[in-house]
Amino acid sequence: MKDLRFAPIAVATVSRACHRARLSPGMALGLVALVASPLAMAQDDTPKPRADKHYIGLLATTFDHRSVGPLEEDAWGQAGTLVVGGHINDMFHTEFRLGGGYDDAQVPDSDLTLSVNYYASWYMGLHYPITDYANVYGQLGFSYINGDATLTNLDQDRNKLYKDFGSEFPASSFAVNWLAGIDFEVFSDTYLVFEGGKLFEDTDTGVESFQFSGGLRYEF
């Protein structure tokens, strides 16, 4: 694993750059894959068996609420996510996620705050080994989301654009969502994970909320 000693630093640098540039999940994951490819060429391509293994992970998650209001503003929030799952075989997995928000999203030039208080998700996914230490994966699932929207100073002109926001956000608590990601084995059975995807779309306001996460996963 000596060839991986610079992988976490390189991937973390790309992740921060993608976050600042607000790239789409596909573009961000593509850049991370480019960082990984030189390392992949130096490794044995034999995939590591993962069937019947379970895993647990802890991720730092960023929410990107897009198309907020008539001006289609972006607002960013933060959360922590616990992941518990298992591999059905060497290609398929299923998992449960539980997360809680700790930093609400403030909509620019307004007094509107969007909060994701907590969420629970179930996913089934497909992962594909690109080397003996790295995998790409995609997964589909559904989530229960509890959140709210808070608008103060209603008489101010800057807030009149958001008068359609009710106190419940999103309006529907259940949503179908997806994720795509890449992981790197940095220690035995311990993976560095980067991923992004759509969490929900608010049916009342049209706000689309995406999630971007990074962290560690341990398999046993």
Side-chain angles (χ1 to χ4, degrees):
M1 303 297 291
K2 291 182 179 180
D3 293 327
L4 292 179
R5 60 186 183 275
F6 298 117
I9 298 174
V11 174
T13 301
V14 173
S15 178
R16 288 193 296 268
C18 292
H19 175 82
R20 288 194 296 265
R22 299 185 181 180
L23 297 181
S24 67
M27 296 174 64
L29 293 173
L31 288 175
V32 174
L34 287 175
V35 173
S37 59
L39 297 172
M41 295 175 62
Q43 299 294 315
D44 179 10
D45 289 334
T46 304
K48 185 175 182 178
R50 303 171 84 175
D52 299 324
K53 277 192 169 186
H54 297 85
Y55 57 85
I56 187 170
L58 188 61
L59 308 176
T61 299
T62 296
F63 297 124
D64 180 10
H65 304 294
R66 301 180 181 178
S67 302
V68 182
L71 299 180
E72 298 189 346
E73 297 281 5
D74 278 16
W76 298 80
Q78 305 289 333
T81 305
L82 175 67
V83 182
V84 178
H87 295 283
I88 301 173
N89 54 39
D90 285 337
M91 297 290 290
F92 290 93
H93 63 272
T94 183
E95 67 182 38
F96 175 77
R97 296 183 175 215
L98 183 63
Y102 61 82
D103 188 14
D104 297 336
Q106 181 66 47
V107 178
D109 301 320
S110 77
D111 297 309
L112 176 64
T113 301
L114 302 179
S115 304
V116 176
N117 301 320
Y118 61 87
Y119 51 97
S121 305
W122 178 88
Y123 289 97
M124 177 169 283
L126 171 69
H127 53 270
Y128 182 79
I130 53 177
T131 72
D132 65 328
Y133 69 90
N135 303 267
V136 292
Y137 60 90
Q139 52 196 53
L140 293 173
F142 59 89
S143 296
Y144 172 82
I145 306 105
N146 177 274
D148 54 70
T150 304
L151 181 62
T152 58
N153 300 318
L154 299 179
D155 57 333
Q156 298 294 319
D157 290 340
R158 65 178 180 273
N159 294 320
K160 292 180 180 179
L161 295 173
Y162 306 104
K163 61 182 180 180
D164 294 334
F165 278 78
S167 59
E168 188 175 356
F169 176 81
S172 175
S173 298
F174 291 91
V176 176
N177 39 44
W178 59 268
L179 279 171
I182 187 168
D183 63 39
F184 304 90
E185 187 175 20
V186 291
F187 302 105
S188 178
D189 293 320
T190 302
Y191 292 81
L192 183 65
V193 177
F194 293 97
E195 63 184 30
K198 191 172 184 178
L199 182 61
F200 65 86
E201 181 174 353
D202 185 25
T203 54
D204 281 2
T205 63
V207 173
E208 294 183 297
S209 295
F210 290 82
Q211 54 180 328
F212 301 93
S213 299
L216 292 175
R217 182 199 306 130
Y218 176 72
E219 301 192 352
F220 53 93

